Amino acid sequence: MSLRDAGDYITSLPKAEQDIEEWQTAIGCLIGTAEGRDLLMHARVGVMRAINRHVERGVCCTAKAYALGTPECQH
């Protein structure tokens, strides 16, 4: 995916969707990257966070508990 592809995708969204804070952040990161003021990784993270904004993030257990295979970390 190129910066242009990401920009085209965002501009194809309905206006109400484009106005959501996560998409506005993604747009700012894309513009910054295209102008050489920001890193490509920031643009990628911005777009991915906007796409996945409805996904609940959470930690099921600590790294130590996961490594030890404690019952609360069984997947």
Side-chain angles (χ1 to χ4, degrees):
M1 175 187 259
S2 68
L3 293 175
R4 180 178 299 275
D5 293 335
D8 289 345
Y9 176 79
I10 294 170
T11 57
S12 72
L13 294 171
K15 180 70 172 141
E17 184 89 1
Q18 291 178 31
D19 290 339
I20 294 173
E21 180 181 0
E22 290 87 352
W23 283 116
Q24 289 296 306
T25 301
I27 291 166
C29 291
L30 285 170
I31 291 170
T33 300
E35 293 177 347
R37 296 181 287 111
D38 208 347
L39 300 174
L40 181 59
M41 182 58 73
H42 291 162
R44 180 185 184 282
V45 169
V47 171
M48 295 305 295
R49 290 189 78 170
I51 289 171
N52 295 308
R53 71 184 179 286
H54 297 298
V55 176
E56 186 175 330
R57 292 167 184 81
V59 177
C60 66
C61 59
T62 65
K64 182 178 179 181
Y66 183 80
L68 295 174
T70 58
E72 68 267 13
C73 294
Q74 298 300 318
H75 295 111

